[in-house]
């Protein structure tokens, strides 16, 4: 994913682009965090577990680079973008293309989480919709990466995180 990002994507380099990305990222991050973590908490899929371990920087670096960047570049920057182009250009579905590409990419994203059970599949699908929406709204992969990273870090700090051992 990182290699694809380096060679295939036009990463924002100007301060004004980053300001725009942050303005668009924050509302999507807040709404998606509530949509994902509140039902996960209410169904006891996760439990409140505030933590700031001293080796947290390792989790942050790993999660940002190996999870969020890699997944978003592949799912949003490559799949969603190309599906949108295919539907719009090849099938002349210019109005439906954004929604179809968003839903199909979210479905593919949720399939990659199938080993974690039914609830995780549902939450992964909803997360995929949120990350895809952030990408579509801004047309910048950085927005999807930041939303994904923000949700994961909020989950990690405030709730149980199944793949982390202190």
């Amino acid at each position: 994913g990182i290699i694809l990002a380096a060679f295939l994507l036009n990463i924002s380099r100007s301060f004004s682009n980053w300001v725009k990305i942050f303005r668009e990222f924050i509302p999507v991050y807040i709404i998606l965090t509530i949509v994902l973590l509140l039902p996960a908490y209410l169904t006891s899929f996760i439990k409140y577990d505030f933590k700031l371990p001293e080796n947290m920087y390792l989790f942050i670096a790993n999660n940002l680079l190996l999870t969020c960047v890699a997944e978003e570049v592949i799912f949003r920057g490559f799949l969603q973008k190309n599906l949108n182009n295919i539907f719009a250009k090849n099938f002349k579905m210019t109005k439906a293309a954004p929604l179809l590409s968003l839903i199909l990419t979210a479905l593919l994203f949720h399939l990659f989480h199938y080993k974690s059970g039914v609830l995780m599949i549902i939450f992964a699908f909803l997360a995929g919709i949120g990350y895809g929406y952030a990408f579509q709204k801004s047309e910048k992969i950085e927005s999807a990466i930041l939303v994904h990273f923000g949700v994961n870090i909020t989950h990690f700090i405030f709730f149980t995180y199944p793949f982390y051992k202190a």
Side-chain angles (χ1 to χ4, degrees), residues 45-51 155-156 158-163:
F45 186 70
I46 59 174
K47 293 180 179 24
Y48 179 75
D49 180 31
F50 180 80
K51 62 195 156 303
H155 182 186
F156 174 78
F158 293 103
F159 299 96
T160 53
Y161 208 89
F163 303 109

Side-chain angles (χ1 to χ4, degrees), residues 29-153:
Y29 157 72
I30 291 169
I31 291 167
L32 188 59
T33 299
I34 293 167
V35 165
L36 291 174
L37 298 182
L38 185 60
Y41 180 77
L42 293 174
T43 59
S44 298
F45 186 70
I46 59 174
K47 293 180 179 24
Y48 179 75
D49 180 31
F50 180 80
K51 62 195 156 303
L52 291 172
E54 50 180 86
N55 64 347
M56 186 171 148
Y57 68 93
L58 294 172
F59 177 85
I60 289 172
N62 178 53
N63 193 269
L64 176 61
L65 297 174
L66 301 178
T67 302
C68 299
V69 170
E71 287 182 358
E72 293 313 313
V73 167
I74 291 166
F75 285 99
R76 266 42 82 180
F78 182 73
L79 286 172
Q80 186 172 334
K81 183 179 178 181
N82 286 320
L83 284 172
N84 186 60
N85 290 340
I86 289 167
F87 289 134
K89 292 176 183 166
N90 296 354
F91 296 103
K92 310 290 187 228
M93 303 169 74
T94 53
K95 289 186 180 184
L99 181 60
L100 280 173
S101 61
L102 176 73
I103 291 171
L104 283 175
T105 304
L107 285 169
L108 289 170
F109 183 74
H110 98 286
L111 288 176
F112 278 79
H113 296 83
Y114 79 94
K115 286 187 178 181
S116 299
V118 173
L119 279 177
M120 185 62 180
I121 291 171
I122 293 167
F123 294 134
F125 176 73
L126 294 172
I129 294 288
Y131 306 151
Y133 175 77
F135 175 66
Q136 274 187 351
K137 184 176 183 204
S138 67
E139 297 179 352
K140 295 287 183 185
I141 194 65
E142 295 92 327
S143 291
I145 292 168
L146 287 173
V147 172
H148 193 156
F149 183 64
V151 169
N152 285 2
I153 292 303

